[in-house]
Amino acid sequence: MGRHSCCYKQKLRKGLWSPEEDEKLINHITKFGHGCWSSVPKLAGLQRCGKSCRLRWINYLRPDLKRGTFSQQEENLIIELHAVLGNRWSQIAAQLPGRTDNEIKNLWNSSIKKKLRQRGIDPNTHKPLSEVQNEDKALAAAVSKNSAERAAASEAENSNSKASSSAADHYPLVESSRPPAPPPTHEFFLERFVSSHESSTGGCRPNSDFPGYLSFQQLSYRPDTGLSAHPNTTLFPNSNSSRPSDMISEFNSSMTTSFLPSIPSPILKPSISLPPSTSLDVNAVHNWNNGSTFGSNGGGSSNGSSSSSTELQNSASFFENGGCFSWAPMNCVKSKKEAEVHPLEGETDDNKWSEYLQASFLLGTTIQNQAAAQDIYSETKPEAQFSTDGLSTNLPRSQQQQQPSEAADIYTNHLQRLAATYEQFS
DNA sequence: AACCCCATCAACCGCTTAAAG
DNA sequence: GCTTTAAGCGGTTGATGGGGT
């Protein structure tokens, strides 16, 4: 495979970026877009490799990034997505507007992992640690048994060496003596996702070799919500819809009549067009970069205190519509590769769709309920205040409960993203 | 004050994948 | 179909700062 030619060039700066470099990069991308990243350093007058410029932009300078600490909702969402997606940080990040895969990965490795372990959950498998330890012991026992049996078999084989082909050839003593299993395919992943989803509440022992077995029901079910989390409960009991948008429509109306006051139903997120004369104020970006909210003094997007996902979309629209940028907002550009790992890629079975949406539904339910109840991942932090706008609120819990529509919006956004992703590949 | 330890996070590295030639 | 290039992704590293001794 080819290496970045720029990586071989000498005299390229490495390490932390200076404010001057940031400004150069911002200025360049503001005026011309990034185009081909390998040409950016030269055109922008930077002694950096194009890859480095790209990373700096994506992870730090991009105006639609949401800086600051992660809210509890975001953390819980990351945990739940990780249970399904594993270490696919970019896909997890796609569900959290304004967050980068790098940021999420760092958070996972530095904080969430630890928290999960403290709560007795294995961060890799999302199973209780005790169960994992038991499995480890069982595995160790099996291995030692295997060794003993092998030794015995070997001894027996030696003693019968003159005999015809060993019985062990035809009847392997232990599973592990078979050839290694092929690597998991997408179908495998899908199957395990679905089966784990079913088995987690169906009394069957979950599959142990699939990291994402901990189902959304387990994660999310709250008996006090009045929502059925029974595995056989379909999200759309009367639905024959196979199209995600139809299903979401139905979902919205059903949710509206059941417990949500109102949920906006459009599949597409709102996009506010800004005046063509609007331009990016580099200082505004820097202010934002230093902790201020982008747009508070520059582009006239909205007030600085509300950086909701909608606003992020708006700023993305701004850059797209303004014709300055060639980059697209997160979640809008999906690679084909993403489709490959999508749990429902190529899946036309309504049942699986329903299951996946059910998972999403429960995921959203979790988000909605987090203000009112702690799921198994949550720390008991009655005083917790979420610093991230859009997903957060400083209201007391009792008041948060009275504002389901906000949580519903968040959930609907998640659901819509999942649906849009599916629609793209169906 | 000096040192050590640890957590955090920006950045790098190496690999895979997709697209272009 | 092969090679090269560019982009994207995930794992890892290293600088930095805070807290403890």
Side-chain angles (χ1 to χ4, degrees), chain A residues 111-170:
Chain A
S111 169
I112 296 181
K113 258 185 175 178
K114 217 176 304 169
K115 284 184 187 173
L116 288 180
R117 287 204 186 96
Q118 282 170 359
R119 291 170 218 165
I121 297 166
D122 179 58
N124 297 319
T125 62
H126 292 258
K127 296 179 189 178
L129 278 173
S130 55
E131 190 179 334
V132 174
Q133 284 161 0
N134 288 340
E135 282 177 4
D136 287 346
K137 284 178 189 171
L139 185 66
V143 167
S144 66
K145 186 185 173 189
N146 181 12
S147 307
E149 285 176 345
R150 272 199 208 175
S154 170
E155 207 171 303
E157 195 176 347
N158 286 340
S159 65
N160 297 325
S161 58
K162 296 288 167 70
S164 59
S165 60
S166 159
D169 291 343
H170 301 292

Side-chain angles (χ1 to χ4, degrees), chain A residues 88 180-190 192 209-211 340-341:
Chain A
R88 295 188 181 95
T185 61
H186 170 70
E187 287 71 23
F188 173 83
F189 182 93
L190 210 175
R192 302 312 284 268
D209 53 348
F210 182 59
E340 288 171 14
V341 295

Side-chain angles (χ1 to χ4, degrees), chain A residues 12 15-16 22 33 36 46 51 59 91 98 132 162 180 197 221 239 284-285 304 324 339 349 371 380 383 388 392 401:
Chain A
L12 293 182
L16 293 179
D22 281 348
C36 171
L46 291 162
K51 203 172 175 177
N59 288 335
Q91 289 181 56
V132 174
K162 296 288 167 70
H197 183 64
Y221 175 56
S239 174
V285 174
C324 295
D349 185 353
T380 306
E383 77 288 2
T388 308
S392 65
Q401 279 181 288

Side-chain angles (χ1 to χ4, degrees), chain A residues 132-257:
Chain A
V132 174
Q133 284 161 0
N134 288 340
E135 282 177 4
D136 287 346
K137 284 178 189 171
L139 185 66
V143 167
S144 66
K145 186 185 173 189
N146 181 12
S147 307
E149 285 176 345
R150 272 199 208 175
S154 170
E155 207 171 303
E157 195 176 347
N158 286 340
S159 65
N160 297 325
S161 58
K162 296 288 167 70
S164 59
S165 60
S166 159
D169 291 343
H170 301 292
Y171 305 103
L173 288 171
V174 288
E175 176 92 6
S176 58
S177 64
R178 291 172 189 161
T185 61
H186 170 70
E187 287 71 23
F188 173 83
F189 182 93
L190 210 175
E191 193 179 320
R192 302 312 284 268
F193 173 78
V194 171
S195 66
S196 66
H197 183 64
E198 287 170 345
S199 64
S200 60
T201 51
C204 301
R205 197 169 178 281
N207 297 306
S208 62
D209 53 348
F210 182 59
Y213 102 84
L214 191 55
S215 78
F216 285 109
Q217 277 103 334
Q218 279 182 297
L219 299 174
S220 311
Y221 175 56
R222 310 298 317 173
D224 53 343
T225 60
L227 289 167
S228 170
H230 189 278
N232 294 329
T233 304
T234 30
L235 181 55
F236 312 105
N238 301 320
S239 174
N240 292 321
S241 304
S242 57
R243 289 185 59 79
S245 52
D246 297 339
M247 296 175 82
I248 288 171
S249 278
E250 289 184 38
F251 163 75
N252 277 340
S253 60
S254 119
M255 292 283 277
T256 304
T257 53

Side-chain angles (χ1 to χ4, degrees), chain A residues 247-421:
Chain A
M247 296 175 82
I248 288 171
S249 278
E250 289 184 38
F251 163 75
N252 277 340
S253 60
S254 119
M255 292 283 277
T256 304
T257 53
S258 58
F259 67 97
L260 295 177
S262 74
I263 296 177
S265 62
I267 278 291
L268 297 172
K269 297 186 197 78
S271 174
I272 300 172
S273 299
L274 293 164
S277 59
T278 309
S279 62
L280 173 64
D281 182 346
V282 172
N283 292 327
V285 174
H286 262 291
N287 288 339
W288 160 86
N289 193 26
N290 292 327
S292 307
T293 303
F294 170 70
S296 60
N297 63 348
S301 60
S302 65
N303 71 57
S305 63
S306 70
S307 57
S308 66
S309 59
T310 304
E311 186 190 350
L312 292 168
Q313 289 295 322
N314 293 345
S315 53
S317 300
F318 155 48
F319 290 111
E320 279 200 316
N321 296 338
C324 295
F325 289 85
S326 57
W327 53 277
M330 290 171 71
N331 310 324
C332 293
V333 178
K334 304 275 184 184
S335 67
K336 287 178 183 173
K337 192 171 122 188
E338 218 170 334
E340 288 171 14
V341 295
H342 192 286
L344 287 166
E345 179 232 11
E347 182 56 71
T348 55
D349 185 353
D350 286 358
N351 292 335
K352 288 187 176 175
W353 230 115
S354 174
E355 277 181 293
Y356 189 55
L357 278 175
Q358 188 181 356
S360 307
F361 166 77
L362 288 162
L363 186 154
T365 307
T366 303
I367 295 166
Q368 180 167 5
N369 292 332
Q370 272 158 355
Q374 300 289 325
D375 67 25
I376 65 166
Y377 288 130
S378 300
E379 281 178 320
T380 306
K381 278 190 188 168
E383 77 288 2
Q385 295 190 342
F386 306 124
S387 61
T388 308
D389 296 323
L391 288 170
S392 65
T393 171
N394 291 330
L395 292 172
R397 210 180 275 177
S398 59
Q399 282 177 266
Q400 289 179 18
Q401 279 181 288
Q402 292 166 5
Q403 303 200 347
S405 63
E406 187 184 351
D409 286 349
I410 296 165
Y411 160 62
T412 305
N413 279 340
H414 289 307
L415 190 58
Q416 287 169 354
R417 273 188 223 118
L418 292 167
T421 304

